[in-house]
């Protein structure tokens, strides 16, 4: 079904679709971001993608005005000489920016998204799923995290960053792989849980850093995965975390995804410094997501 038709049906279905801006750092033509885009649209959301024209992994919070492209976009997804920004003319919600993830998110929030939303701003920003994990020390270098942090801190749009441990590049044009489908379904589940929790979706200056373990072996269907509240950095000398699972020190996200049994880490990130947010802000998120979250064995 076409997105426009689906969106028109929404009121009849009683569903609550919202305006979502989407980016990533692996490039707009990467399969993970396209699967997630399609899943958000199928879930009734008014979603617009604005992502780099090619792989800009590891570019953290860099931001620079897009320059005209000489070469074709990633996977030949735009011809050579296509200018500084562009879109898929048959699916105009799919947009590329010839610059960094942060720049793509900024264009999406300020310019591209509002063209679809009667000039209004997005209600939520999502980034990824990244091809590969963004855990602990990798968080500060990640463009996936960088673009979510830009949205949360600079644009004041609540933001979710998703990453999947199963890597290996995949084009949007090749047949959809199960790992891409599963990560898209999981990312949509969390997105919908955040939306269902009501506004404000997240405390101010907070982003969620979500890492999926490998989608293989026992973990190939979305229903096999479990969600665990985690922290980004090791909390050796940090003040206590919010109380969860009988303690006041949350597990690190690395320990969550390394635990046997398809555990997803959900960290409440501080958009000011990309570390773990305060216990007070964690508590707000915990309350919102309580019905989804479990404890490690
Ligand atoms: C992007 O480049 C990084 C290295 O810079 C690599 O690890 C990653 O797999 C690449 N992603 C894609 C989708 O090509």
């Amino acid at each position: 079904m076409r997105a426009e038709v689906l969106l028109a049906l929404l009121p009849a279905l009683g569903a609550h679709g919202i305006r979502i801006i989407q980016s990533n750092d692996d490039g707009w033509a990467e399969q993970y971001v396209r699967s997630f885009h399609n899943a958000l649209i199928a879930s009734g959301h008014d979603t617009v993608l604005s992502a780099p024209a090619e792989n800009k992994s590891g570019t953290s919070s860099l931001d620079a005005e897009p320059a005209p492209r000489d070469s074709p976009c990633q996977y030949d997804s735009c011809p050579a000489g296509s200018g500084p920004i562009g879109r898929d003319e048959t699916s105009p919600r799919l947009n590329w920016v010839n610059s960094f993830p942060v720049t793509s998110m900024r264009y999406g929030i300020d310019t591209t998204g509002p063209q679809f939303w009667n000039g209004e701003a997005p209600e939520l920003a999502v980034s990824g799923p990244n091809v590969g994990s963004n855990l602990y020390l990798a968080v500060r270098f990640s463009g996936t995290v960088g673009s979510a942090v830009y949205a949360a801190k600079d644009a004041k749009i609540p933001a979710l960053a998703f990453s999947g441990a199963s890597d290996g590049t995949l084009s949007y044009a090749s047949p959809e792989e199960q790992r891409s489908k599963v990560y898209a379904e999981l990312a949509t589940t969390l997105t919908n849980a955040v939306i269902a929790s009501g506004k404000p979706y997240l405390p101010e200056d907070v982003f969620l850093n979500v890492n999926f373990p490998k989608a293989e072996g026992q973990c190939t269907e979305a229903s096999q995965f479990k969600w665990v509240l985690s922290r980004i950095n090791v909390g050796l000398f940090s003040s206590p975390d919010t109380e969860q699972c009988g303690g006041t020190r949350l597990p690190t996200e690395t320990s969550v995804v390394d635990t046997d049994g398809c555990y997803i880490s959900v960290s409440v990130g501080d958009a000011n410094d990309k570390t773990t947010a305060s216990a007070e802000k964690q508590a707000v998120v915990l309350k919102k997501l309580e019905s989804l979250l479990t404890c490690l064995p």
Side-chain angles (χ1 to χ4, degrees), residues 34 117 219:
R34 296 297 184 93
W117 303 323
C219 315

Side-chain angles (χ1 to χ4, degrees), residues 178 182 214-222 224-225 262:
Q178 181 62 11
V182 170
K214 285 201 165 164
E216 60 182 40
Q218 300 300 301
C219 315
T220 52
E221 300 291 338
Q224 294 159 330
F225 289 77
C262 324

Side-chain angles (χ1 to χ4, degrees), residues 193-203 208 281-293:
V194 167
I195 294 167
S197 76
K199 288 184 178 177
Y201 294 137
L202 293 175
L208 297 189
K281 291 185 174 179
Q282 293 170 356
V284 175
V285 174
L286 172 58
K287 198 158 175 232
K288 283 173 166 283
L289 300 180
E290 206 146 35
S291 61
L292 198 65
L293 294 168

Side-chain angles (χ1 to χ4, degrees), residues 32-55:
Y32 283 4
V33 81
R34 296 297 184 93
S35 292
F36 186 26
H37 180 82
N38 294 337
L40 288 171
I41 297 266
S43 195
H45 299 298
D46 202 347
T47 311
V48 174
L49 174 71
S50 175
E54 62 188 327
N55 185 1

